[in-house]
Amino acid sequence: MYLNKAIVIGNLTRAPERRALPSGAGVTSFSVATSRVWKDKAGARQEDTQYHNIVVFGVQADNVAQYLRKGSSVLVEGRMQTRSWDAADGQKKYRTEIVADRVQFGPKRDGASAGAPASKEEDQPAPKEESID
């Protein structure tokens, strides 16, 4: 049995870039940063940040491009894929990315959900989180 599954929760490091395939279907790519914090043997705080390339297709691609921005919180679930191509200088290039099956928007820093306008009236409840399925 084989399994190729990736789940990351982090923040976008750049604005999503939307393109169209020759078929007309949308494809959006973006990058997510995840951090791991721990204390070393001496008790000093250590941090390691990893950057993950994400690609998403179809209706989810359109929603990501429309609602997410640099710094947005997101949960991405998908599969790992490495593709290769020949660069203009003749070198073979490789890129490992997560092909997203599911992208779920996280809360904005001000407490509202991604893509929803911030509430101007104090007595209104916060909007529910949006999910792209």
Side-chain angles (χ1 to χ4, degrees), residues 29-93:
S29 60
F30 57 99
S31 178
V32 172
T34 58
S35 294
R36 180 174 70 99
V37 178
W38 74 96
K39 289 187 178 180
D40 63 14
K41 291 180 181 179
R45 181 181 184 273
Q46 300 292 318
E47 183 172 356
D48 176 47
T49 302
Q50 296 291 311
Y51 301 92
H52 312 279
N53 299 308
I54 314 292
V55 63
V56 59
F57 295 92
V59 175
Q60 289 188 100
D62 299 335
N63 289 334
V64 165
Q66 182 177 356
Y67 292 111
L68 294 181
R69 301 286 175 257
K70 179 178 178 179
S72 296
S73 177
V74 69
L75 176 145
V76 176
E77 189 174 342
R79 62 183 169 82
M80 300 292 294
Q81 175 178 292
T82 301
R83 57 186 172 94
S84 65
W85 67 96
D86 294 320
D89 62 3
Q91 289 187 339
K92 191 149 190 107
K93 301 282 186 173

Side-chain angles (χ1 to χ4, degrees), residues 3 15-16 18 20 26-27 36 51 64 76 80-82 90 111 117 119-122 124 126-127:
L3 178 66
R18 189 189 179 286
V27 59
R36 180 174 70 99
Y51 301 92
V64 165
V76 176
M80 300 292 294
Q81 175 178 292
T82 301
S119 173
K120 294 189 186 226
E121 296 184 30
E122 297 296 325
Q124 287 185 340

Side-chain angles (χ1 to χ4, degrees), residues 3 5 14 20 41 71 85 98 108 114 133:
L3 178 66
K5 183 130 181 132
R14 59 185 167 87
K41 291 180 181 179
W85 67 96
I98 297 171
K108 286 178 82 172
D133 291 326

